[in-house]
Amino acid sequence: MHRFEATQLVSRLAGDAPIVSNLGPSSDELWHAGHRDRNFYTYGSMGLCSSIALGMALATNEEVISLDGDGSLLMNLGTIASIGREKPKNLTVVVWDNEQWGQTGGQTSHTGTGTDLEQVARSCGITRTKTVSDLEDLEAAVSEALITDGPNFIVAKIEETEYLPVAPVEPEFTLYRFRNTFVKPRQPGH
Ligand SMILES: Cc1ncc(C[n+]2csc(CCOP(=O)(O)OP(=O)(O)O)c2C)c(N)n1
Ligand SMILES: [Mg+2]
């Protein structure tokens, strides 16, 4: 399964739910899948995608989706432990697992040499976990996650392909746009 088609699928299933995306190709492809103001693209902040999504899930009752990367999550494994401890019902983490630090040259990550992130999640107390490697299973896993109490943790095995162009988004605008989807702008005169 390729990440772009998988991203298009998750974006369609998400409806209006906030989606936080890992830096690099994961964010670029989320933008190309169809920009929504409820996409929170994290450029630069490697390892923080699911941490940000955890904070969001704890601060709202809405379903929150994190589209993380294997290399980034490996760099901040404590995030999985925190999700397992806090157990937000409304959080779904999808890990795009291409078994490499793709953006920096395709170096093999630990998931390519035996580390199983689904087992890591289970050992941190997350019971709703799945590993999928095709679109059909991903659709079933995400659809179920969005209507079931979480936290949900889905490892999606990805085959890397050509990168799409870098998305024209700026962190400041992402923050501004995203926040405005939660807070009604003040009306003039009030
Ligand atoms: C703290 C920090 N270290 C290193 C980098 C450089 N860097 C950017 S993307 C990336 C690889 C991310 O790997 P993964 O999350 O698996 O995503 P992929 O590129 O495979 O889609 C690295 C090492 C960074 N941005 N920040
Ligand atoms: Mg990767």
Side-chain angles (χ1 to χ4, degrees):
M1 148 170 77
H2 292 140
R3 188 179 42 233
F4 184 45
E5 57 187 5
T7 303
Q8 288 175 305
L9 172 68
V10 174
S11 182
R12 176 168 61 76
L13 295 175
D16 199 29
I19 301 179
V20 187
S21 55
N22 188 38
L23 80 173
S26 298
S27 279
D28 295 332
E29 291 173 21
L30 181 61
W31 186 86
H32 285 288
H35 169 73
R36 316 142 68 237
D37 282 353
R38 298 205 119 197
N39 290 348
F40 193 92
Y41 312 102
T42 64
Y43 283 97
S45 42
M46 185 176 172
L48 293 178
C49 178
S50 293
S51 305
I52 293 169
L54 169 61
M56 257 179 220
L58 294 174
T60 169
N61 290 325
E62 294 190 67
E63 291 295 320
V64 176
I65 300 170
S66 170
L67 299 181
D68 215 327
D70 56 312
S72 298
L73 200 48
L74 281 159
M75 203 183 73
N76 190 7
L77 275 182
T79 303
I80 305 179
S82 295
I83 292 169
R85 185 172 73 174
E86 298 299 327
K87 293 193 173 49
K89 291 179 178 172
N90 54 337
L91 177 62
T92 295
V93 174
V94 178
V95 187
W96 298 139
D97 185 4
N98 54 8
E99 303 185 354
Q100 58 181 268
W101 288 281
Q103 206 197 1
T104 45
Q107 301 87 356
T108 301
S109 80
H110 305 57
T111 60
T113 56
T115 300
D116 182 340
L117 289 174
E118 181 184 358
Q119 292 304 321
V120 174
R122 293 193 80 80
S123 75
C124 290
I126 302 172
T127 54
R128 300 199 48 82
T129 66
K130 280 241 160 62
T131 296
V132 298
S133 52
D134 63 42
L135 281 180
E136 207 181 346
D137 287 349
L138 178 66
E139 177 159 15
V142 173
S143 303
E144 195 188 334
L146 292 175
I147 55 165
T148 320
D149 279 354
N152 297 279
F153 190 92
I154 301 165
V155 177
K157 290 289 186 179
I158 292 297
E159 285 169 48
E160 203 50 78
T161 181
E162 293 282 296
Y163 287 152
L164 294 175
V166 172
V169 296
E170 296 288 342
E172 293 84 352
F173 285 115
T174 293
L175 186 63
Y176 179 79
R177 276 190 288 92
F178 189 82
R179 275 190 180 151
N180 273 346
T181 70
F182 286 92
V183 183
K184 265 196 174 157
R186 190 184 290 217
Q187 299 300 310
H190 289 273

